[in-house]
């Protein structure tokens, strides 16, 4: 009894104070941390209980020297077995429902449901019906590559933002071994991701060559970048600062070096940054990036990658179409 | 008289007279004796374990510093790719097959496996596939991870990639051939009086494992053959530059490779269900629950594969479906863990090395199970997918689970395999080193992953250096921990004290013959005087006389049904060889009291 209370208290305390997560810098991150803390509380209790039983058994029930008799012949206890089937089932159900709620509130069930921009527009009406339509419309089982690509991937608008366009849209392209961020509304392209704080940001993620995964650990968000299949992450940064963008899907020998910086500004700072970028790249963005990366502002952003990761100019040329 | 003595005395006639006289050269031949094949499997796979371990040590050495400075990044990628492939396809899966080979016929009282030659073929594919895989280092080993996701697998180290595909196809075929053999042997070759629900639980675990192998492995073969076409013939099944879809490969791959996790862990669920009751001197708690939860895990294991793809090409509603199915697996797994704990509780624990590894298995596996539920939760998995959290989770399941189970099995059945006892002191040293080394290596990785370190990287953010150094120190401890084990095994095999037939006073049939067993395992047909776990159930002995009549009746009935010689059927029942045949009329008379006595046990 006392042990039970003790384990409960330790679990409750540790579930909140494990210190395992990095800071939470987005709305989504706080939700996910709350979910994780709940799971951590239950897990700590279960973990201590199982280890406790093992240790107590090893001490209390170890065979005494000279005793070669058998133990008591207990071999089943129906109510007990029902109990340890039902209790985990209920806990699992609870975690499942809670996870579903969090996922829904993050916008996980609404990727690409919002469509004020670019390539996503055509897909909007197909959400939810895309798969059924593919099956019934093509009885001859013909390959339907365009339809397949309608399946929406990623994390979309949270339910309260569902009908609104995002405040900021950024196209993210992964290539060996760098991330390129382009801002379709202002025509800016950069090797860093800049975002205003407390704004609804949407990233349209694609890949140039192999699979990559766009991961913002402080935002708890990750989505694979898949060649030929667009995906999306939509979220709201809540803390200004510099964060890391990490590639989480094995993409080649220098996978570990595929990083970028994400900067969350105050809205004023962000506008300032955007303007400075626009001025600097006002002449001819694409040419500047591809032909002469050393001189212009975009080149400055890409230069570190050119040096570190050996992107050649052909790769950058291939990148052009995604800048439109 | 204890239960073990009771079972032994019932089997004195069936016991073999002299252990098989094996020359060491027999182990290098195409031998059809399941016991030779079992030992061939175990020794071969252990050698591959050491090779995979060397690769892991190099990987951890590279990760002791944030920069890529010990091996080239290309070689680093090859090392973790081949490390994973070796550990999965050449160590854990075939080690399970090795124990199954050695134990199943003995446990069910059969003379050999159903298809002895097929069995030998299945084994000899292992060294062929293994050497082929390692030979890929000569041409540039595969670098795309053991998952070999296209497009990366199509563009890096192509020659090595093709060798990898061929090798995995060979090893998968071996695994299928083994599974056919296990399932048919268990279903058709039990002593006539052993019903399915009287089998040792290891046999149940192997039924569930074999079913998964047979259903899932062909899908992997299909995926790899298509990948091979993309690689060699320039087709575009998975290649996006030709409008192929890399996500389809992921689905096909994980349709095998998630069940593969259960193929790797379930034989050792079975091992733990054998080891714990023997050394706790108590019956297994909830036999039926453990047996049928294996089947439940086996079935559920087939419908959870896309949880490996939560951040990949999986739409939201499908992510939710696979989240729920994955979480449900926690229920049958929980049943097993609680049943094992209840088995230990209140017993008279003999804390020998086998038991320590068995308890260590529960201790580490439970954390792997807990983190398994966490990563099943989609919102959390979006954060930790493809990070060191997953590396920690999978090693807790496959090392803390399977490898601890393998060691428990080694210590438990070594006396039966060789006729000699292992040294207990060095066994305990081995356990402590393994447990501590394992914890130091893998526990901190959970934090690494959550803090933001992705997996499969040769270079990482310097702020993770401290934790990585701790992990590397743990990995060296693990490397050292195998030394006492190897020396113990080699020394004890030659000079260890003689084991006798039944050193652990166990009840299952493999202990009812000589150690090592004779060529055909038993001299006659062994009998079941007690169930495999009836420790402490002395009432059975008192009711033995009435039970005898009941069993004889069943045997006669079974003999008529299955067409085996009636003498053999009766020999396989309790005291059957000496009793006179009971007339049909008197069978009816003894029927009801016998039923009551069984119920009262």
């Amino acid at each position: 009894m006392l042990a039970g209370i003790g384990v409960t208290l330790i679990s409750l305390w540790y579930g909140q104070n494990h210190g395992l997560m990095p800071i939470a810098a987005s709305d989504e991150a706080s939700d996910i941390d709350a979910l994780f803390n709940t799971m951590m509380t239950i897990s700590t209790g279960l973990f201590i209980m199982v280890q406790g039983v093992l240790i107590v058994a090893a001490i209390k029930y170890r065979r005494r020297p000279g005793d070669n008799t058998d133990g008591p012949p207990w071999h089943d206890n129906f109510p007990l077995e029902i109990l340890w089937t039902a209790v985990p089932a209920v806990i699992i159900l609870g975690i499942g429902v809670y996870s579903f709620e969090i996922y829904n509130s993050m916008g996980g069930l609404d990727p690409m449901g919002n469509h004020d921009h670019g390539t996503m527009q055509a897909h909007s009406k197909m959400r939810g019906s895309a798969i059924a339509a593919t099956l019934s419309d093509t009885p001859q089982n013909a390959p339907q590559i365009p339809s397949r690509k309608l399946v929406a991937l990623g994390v979309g608008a949270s339910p309260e933002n569902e009908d609104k366009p995002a405040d900021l849209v950024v196209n993210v392209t992964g290539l060996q071994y760098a991330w390129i961020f382009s801002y379709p509304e202002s025509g800016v392209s950069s090797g860093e991701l800049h975002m205003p704080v407390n704004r609804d940001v949407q990233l349209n993620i694609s890949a140039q060559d192999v699979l990559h995964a766009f991961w913002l650990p402080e935002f708890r968000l990750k989505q694979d970048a898949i060649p030929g299949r667009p995906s999306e992450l939509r979220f709201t940064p809540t803390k200004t600062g510099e964060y890391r963008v990490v590639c989480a899907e094995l993409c080649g020998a220098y996978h570990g070096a595929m990083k970028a910086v994400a900067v969350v500004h105050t809205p004023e700072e962000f506008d300032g940054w955007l303007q400075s970028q626009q001025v600097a790249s006002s002449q001819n963005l694409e040419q500047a990036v591809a032909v002469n990366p050393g001189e212009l502002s975009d080149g400055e952003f890409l230069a570190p990658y050119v040096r570190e990761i050996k992107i050649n100019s052909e790769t950058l040329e291939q990148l052009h179409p995604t800048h439109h | 008289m204890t239960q073990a003595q009771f079972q032994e005395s019932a089997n004195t006639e069936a016991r073999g007279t002299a252990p098989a006289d094996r020359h060491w050269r027999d182990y290098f031949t195409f031998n059809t004796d399941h016991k030779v094949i079992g030992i061939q499997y175990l020794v071969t796979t252990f050698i591959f374990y050491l090779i995979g371990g060397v690769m892991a040590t190099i990987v951890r050495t590279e990760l002791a510093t944030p920069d890529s400075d010990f091996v080239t990044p290309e070689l680093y990628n090859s090392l973790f790719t081949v490390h994973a492939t070796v550990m999965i396809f050449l160590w854990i899966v075939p080690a399970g097959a090795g124990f199954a080979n050695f134990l199943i016929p003995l446990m069910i009282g059969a003379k050999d496996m159903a298809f002895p030659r097929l069995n030998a073929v299945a084994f000899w594919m292992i060294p062929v596939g293994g050497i082929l895989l390692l030979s890929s280092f000569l041409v540039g080993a595969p670098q795309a991870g053991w998952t070999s996701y296209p497009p990366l697998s199509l563009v890096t180290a192509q020659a090595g990639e093709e060798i990898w595909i061929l090798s995995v196809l060979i090893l998968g075929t071996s695994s299928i051939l083994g599974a056919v053999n296990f399932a048919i042997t268990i279903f058709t070759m039990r002593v006539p009086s052993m019903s399915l629900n009287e089998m040792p639980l290891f046999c149940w675990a192997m039924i569930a494992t074999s079913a998964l192998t047979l259903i899932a492995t062909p899908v992997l073969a299909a995926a790899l053959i298509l990948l091979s076409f993309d690689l060699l013939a320039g087709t575009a099944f998975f290649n996006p530059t030709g409008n192929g879809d890399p996500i389809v490969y992921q689905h096909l791959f994980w349709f095998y490779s998630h069940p593969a996790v259960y193929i790797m862990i379930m034989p050792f669920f079975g091992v733990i269900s054998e080891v714990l009751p023997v050394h706790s001197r108590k019956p297994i708690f909830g036999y039926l629950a453990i047996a049928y939860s294996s089947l439940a895990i086996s079935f559920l294991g087939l419908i959870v594969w896309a949880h490996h793809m939560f951040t990949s090409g999986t739409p939201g509603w499908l992510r939710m479906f696979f989240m729920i199915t994955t979480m449900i697996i926690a229920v049958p797994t929980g049943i097993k863990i609680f049943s094992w704990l209840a088995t230990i509780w209140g017993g008279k624990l003999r804390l020998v090395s086998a038991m320590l590894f068995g308890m260590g298995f529960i201790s580490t596996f439970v954390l792997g199970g807990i983190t398994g539920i966490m990563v099943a939760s989609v919102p959390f998995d979006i954060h930790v997918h493809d990070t060191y959290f997953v590396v920690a989770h999978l090693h807790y399941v496959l090392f803390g689970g399977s490898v601890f189970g393998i060691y428990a099995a080694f210590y438990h059945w070594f006396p039966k395999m060789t006729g000699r006892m292992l040294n207990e002191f060095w066994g305990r040293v081995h356990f402590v080193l393994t447990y501590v080394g394992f914890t130091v290596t893998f526990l901190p990785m959970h934090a690494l992953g959550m803090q933001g370190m992705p997996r499969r990287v040769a270079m990482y953010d310097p702020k993770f250096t401290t934790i990585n150094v701790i992990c590397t120190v743990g990995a060296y401890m693990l490397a050292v921990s195998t030394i006492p084990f190897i020396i113990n095994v080699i020394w004890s095999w030659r000079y260890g004290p003689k084991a006798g037939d039944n050193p652990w006073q166990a009840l299952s049939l493999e202990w009812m013959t000589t150690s090592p067993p004779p060529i055909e395992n038993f001299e006659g047909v062994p009998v079941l005087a007690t169930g495999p776990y009836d420790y402490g159930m002395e009432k059975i002995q008192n009711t033995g006389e009435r039970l005898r009549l009941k069993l004889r009746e069943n045997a006669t009935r079974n003999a008529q049904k299955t067409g085996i010689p009636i003498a053999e059927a009766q020999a396989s029942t309790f005291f059957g060889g000496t009793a006179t045949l009971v007339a049909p009329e008197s069978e009816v008379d003894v029927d009801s009291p016998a039923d009551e006595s069984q119920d009262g046990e």
Side-chain angles (χ1 to χ4, degrees):
Chain A
M1 184 67 191
L2 270 177
I5 296 170
V7 170
T8 312
L9 288 176
I10 292 172
S11 310
L12 286 172
W13 179 82
Y14 190 68
Q16 300 299 323
N17 297 285
H18 48 78
L20 290 171
M21 285 287 200
I23 63 160
S26 71
D27 271 349
E28 289 73 14
S30 326
D31 290 346
I32 291 171
D33 286 3
L35 170 67
F36 176 68
N37 289 349
T38 309
M39 293 197 290
M40 196 68 190
T41 306
I42 299 168
S43 304
T44 311
L46 181 65
F47 181 77
I48 295 176
M49 199 190 82
V50 171
Q51 309 296 352
V53 168
L54 286 171
I55 292 167
V56 170
I59 296 167
K60 193 172 161 192
Y61 297 117
R62 69 181 191 282
R63 187 181 68 90
R64 300 306 189 275
D67 182 2
N68 288 321
T69 56
D70 289 349
W74 311 329
H75 54 83
D76 54 11
N77 182 334
F78 195 63
L80 193 60
E81 288 175 66
I82 291 294
L83 182 77
W84 70 45
T85 308
V87 170
V90 169
I91 293 175
I92 286 304
L93 194 69
I95 294 177
V97 170
Y98 187 17
S99 301
F100 179 86
E101 285 301 316
I102 298 283
Y103 190 62
N104 190 31
S105 73
M106 285 162 64
L109 296 176
D110 182 60
M112 297 173 195
N114 218 320
H115 8 281
D116 50 304
H117 47 78
T119 54
M120 303 301 132
Q121 205 143 24
H123 308 155
S124 58
K125 294 185 187 70
M126 296 296 286
R127 186 165 60 86
S129 62
I131 284 172
T134 311
L135 291 175
S136 57
D137 291 349
T138 57
Q140 73 276 34
N141 206 13
Q144 289 286 311
I145 291 154
S147 309
R148 174 172 58 70
K149 289 179 179 171
L150 289 180
V151 176
L153 304 175
V155 173
S158 52
E160 64 268 25
N161 288 332
E162 205 157 333
D163 300 320
K164 287 188 285 187
D167 299 325
L168 174 69
V169 176
V170 186
N171 292 330
V172 180
T173 307
L175 70 162
Q176 287 173 322
Y177 299 95
W179 295 105
I180 307 293
F181 304 95
S182 63
Y183 293 74
E185 283 153 38
S186 45
V188 167
S189 232
S190 166
E192 294 180 357
L193 174 61
H194 289 254
M195 297 167 290
V197 72
N198 293 328
R199 292 286 189 281
D200 193 15
V201 179
Q202 174 170 336
L203 307 180
N204 295 325
I205 300 169
S206 59
Q208 191 75 18
D209 35 36
V210 297
L211 298 174
H212 303 277
F214 180 90
W215 182 27
L216 276 165
E218 280 80 12
F219 291 51
R220 316 280 188 273
L221 288 173
K222 183 183 292 122
Q223 173 58 44
D224 284 13
I226 305 162
R229 291 183 70 159
S231 54
E232 179 195 56
L233 281 180
R234 190 163 161 178
F235 54 90
T236 309
T238 53
K239 285 200 177 77
T240 56
E242 272 198 20
Y243 305 102
R244 297 161 297 147
V245 176
V246 181
C247 175
E249 181 68 62
L250 177 64
C251 63
Y254 293 87
H255 164 54
M258 180 165 167
K259 293 172 193 166
V261 175
V263 186
V264 178
H265 298 283
T266 60
E268 300 76 39
E269 276 173 14
F270 176 74
D271 290 339
W273 176 82
L274 209 56
Q275 267 165 16
S276 72
Q277 296 299 303
Q278 278 171 318
V279 170
S281 60
S282 55
Q283 301 117 35
N284 187 329
L285 173 71
E286 271 80 25
Q287 258 182 2
V289 173
V291 178
N292 203 351
E295 281 176 18
L296 292 168
S297 167
D298 271 279
E300 280 169 31
F301 282 107
L302 290 170
Y305 297 94
V306 174
R307 274 200 300 277
E308 279 177 16
I309 312 169
K310 310 184 191 82
I311 295 181
N312 51 26
S313 52
E314 295 95 273
T315 317
L316 286 175
E317 267 164 36
Q318 284 171 9
L319 195 64
H320 271 206
T322 62
H323 283 204
H324 291 296
Chain B
M1 185 153 81
T2 64
Q3 285 299 101
Q5 288 162 338
F6 181 56
Q7 175 85 313
E8 283 168 20
S9 66
N11 278 290
T12 40
E13 286 181 30
R15 178 187 182 273
T17 44
D21 188 20
R22 286 284 174 205
H23 194 271
W24 61 268
R25 274 192 226 103
D26 292 345
Y27 292 96
F28 294 88
T29 58
F30 187 88
N31 196 308
T32 54
D33 182 348
H34 73 98
K35 298 180 290 299
V36 173
I37 296 174
I39 291 170
Q40 284 175 327
Y41 261 106
L42 292 172
V43 173
T44 312
T45 56
F46 191 79
I47 291 168
F48 280 114
Y49 174 54
L50 295 178
I51 294 171
V54 168
M55 293 178 195
T57 311
I58 299 173
V59 163
R60 277 316 319 172
T61 306
E62 167 66 69
L63 290 172
T65 55
D67 296 325
S68 172
D69 45 13
F70 184 65
V71 291
T72 63
E74 288 83 5
L75 180 59
Y76 175 86
N77 285 10
S78 296
L79 284 170
F80 71 67
T81 301
V82 180
H83 160 75
T85 313
V86 165
M87 290 305 194
I88 292 166
F89 293 105
L90 289 162
W91 163 232
I92 298 179
V93 172
F99 285 113
N101 252 306
F102 190 92
L103 293 173
I104 287 176
L106 285 166
M107 282 179 165
I108 63 176
K111 289 182 164 60
D112 205 313
M113 299 284 282
F115 307 116
R117 268 180 217 87
L118 192 70
N119 204 14
V121 171
F123 164 71
W124 281 104
M125 293 175 99
I126 302 273
V128 172
I131 291 166
L132 182 65
L133 177 69
L134 296 179
S135 74
S136 69
F137 276 103
L138 300 176
V139 296
Q143 295 173 17
W146 85 280
T147 52
S148 272
Y149 278 3
L152 186 66
S153 55
L154 300 175
V155 295
T156 51
Q158 284 145 321
E161 188 65 34
E162 187 56 37
I163 291 176
W164 179 86
I165 291 173
L166 291 174
S167 159
V168 172
L169 286 175
I170 291 172
L171 298 171
T173 310
S174 155
S175 161
I176 291 175
L177 297 182
V180 170
N181 224 338
F182 300 143
I184 292 178
T185 305
I186 294 171
F187 280 122
T188 62
M189 296 180 70
R190 300 187 310 278
V191 289
S193 58
M194 183 188 275
S195 74
L196 282 174
N197 287 345
E198 288 162 333
M199 291 191 304
L201 284 163
F202 181 76
C203 298
W204 271 109
M206 287 314 299
I207 289 178
T209 310
S210 303
L212 272 183
T213 307
L214 292 176
I215 295 169
T217 317
V219 179
L220 176 72
L224 293 184
I225 288 168
L226 293 180
L227 188 67
S228 200
F229 278 130
D230 275 11
L231 201 59
L232 297 177
T235 52
F237 294 107
F238 308 127
N239 194 343
T241 54
N243 244 340
D245 190 346
I247 304 303
V248 174
Y249 173 83
Q250 297 181 11
H251 279 291
L252 292 173
F253 179 82
W254 287 113
F255 186 82
Y256 165 75
S257 294
H258 188 77
V261 175
Y262 299 105
I263 292 171
M264 285 185 268
I265 191 74
M266 277 205 292
F268 304 102
F269 285 170
V271 163
I272 298 305
S273 303
E274 298 298 322
V275 170
L276 296 183
V278 173
H279 297 289
S280 305
R281 314 310 301 162
K282 269 186 68 202
I284 189 87
F285 196 94
Y287 175 97
L288 289 178
I290 292 182
Y292 289 99
S293 63
S294 288
L295 298 186
I297 291 173
S298 183
F299 170 73
L300 289 169
L302 287 168
I303 52 167
V304 299
W305 74 91
H307 67 215
H308 296 269
M309 303 163 56
F310 279 158
T311 69
S312 171
T314 314
W317 60 272
L318 211 53
R319 294 180 185 189
M320 291 297 106
F321 172 79
F322 281 105
M323 173 173 85
I324 300 299
T325 53
T326 306
M327 284 186 173
I328 292 173
I329 293 195
V331 176
T333 313
I335 291 173
K336 280 183 186 292
I337 288 184
F338 295 131
S339 299
W340 290 327
L341 290 178
T343 303
I344 295 176
W345 195 255
K348 296 182 175 174
L349 309 191
R350 195 161 51 198
L351 295 173
V352 292
S353 311
M355 183 65 170
L356 290 175
F357 271 105
M359 292 169 78
F361 171 99
I362 301 177
S363 165
T364 49
F365 177 76
V366 74
L367 189 53
I370 288 171
T371 52
I373 299 169
M374 289 180 172
V375 291
S377 168
V378 175
F380 180 66
D381 185 63
I382 287 179
H383 177 51
V384 297
H385 179 74
D386 264 328
T387 70
Y388 261 83
F389 190 88
V390 172
V391 176
H393 161 71
L394 77 91
H395 282 96
Y396 261 85
V397 174
L398 294 182
F399 196 129
S402 302
V403 178
F404 274 62
I406 291 172
Y407 280 136
F410 258 120
Y411 282 100
H412 188 69
W413 281 292
F414 185 86
K416 183 50 65 179
M417 291 176 178
T418 63
R420 292 180 187 272
M421 302 299 286
L422 282 165
N423 181 294
E424 266 310 313
F425 173 76
W426 287 107
R428 284 174 202 183
V429 169
H430 175 221
F431 170 74
V432 171
L433 277 175
T434 309
Y435 191 92
V436 174
F438 170 80
T439 307
V440 173
T441 311
F442 296 110
L443 190 65
M445 286 187 186
H446 292 103
L448 266 186
M450 282 189 274
Q451 290 290 324
M453 180 162 162
R455 64 192 287 204
R456 295 172 165 173
V457 291
M459 51 292 259
Y460 56 86
D461 196 323
K463 72 177 175 182
F464 300 129
T465 312
T466 317
I467 305 183
N468 271 298
V469 169
I470 295 173
C471 296
T472 301
V473 170
Y476 292 156
M477 264 180 92
L478 275 181
V480 171
S481 78
T482 54
I483 294 172
F485 176 70
I486 296 170
I487 293 173
N488 194 353
V489 165
I490 294 174
W491 192 87
S492 301
W493 205 326
R494 291 188 64 104
Y495 309 111
K498 294 271 186 203
D501 288 2
N502 191 1
W504 309 127
Q505 293 88 43
L507 298 181
S508 43
L509 290 182
E510 77 267 27
W511 302 103
M512 298 301 135
T513 188
T514 54
S515 306
I519 290 193
E520 288 194 331
N521 297 342
F522 299 97
E523 201 71 2
V525 180
V527 305
L528 297 175
T530 74
Y533 306 110
D534 291 344
Y535 299 99
M537 290 189 189
E538 278 161 28
K539 216 175 157 192
I540 290 182
Q541 292 177 38
N542 305 332
T543 56
E545 195 59 18
R546 279 182 297 171
L547 191 63
R548 182 191 95 199
L549 297 170
K550 171 71 177 168
L551 287 170
R552 281 182 62 77
E553 178 217 331
N554 284 347
T556 312
R557 199 187 294 141
N558 285 345
Q560 282 157 358
K561 223 166 27 189
T562 54
I564 57 167
I566 202 157
E568 192 175 317
Q570 286 175 346
S572 74
T573 64
F574 182 54
F575 295 163
T578 53
T580 47
L581 195 68
V582 181
E585 292 82 17
S586 59
E587 273 180 41
V588 179
D589 295 339
V590 296
D591 227 340
S592 39
D595 276 344
E596 274 164 24
S597 71
Q598 276 185 322
D599 292 343
E601 282 155 27

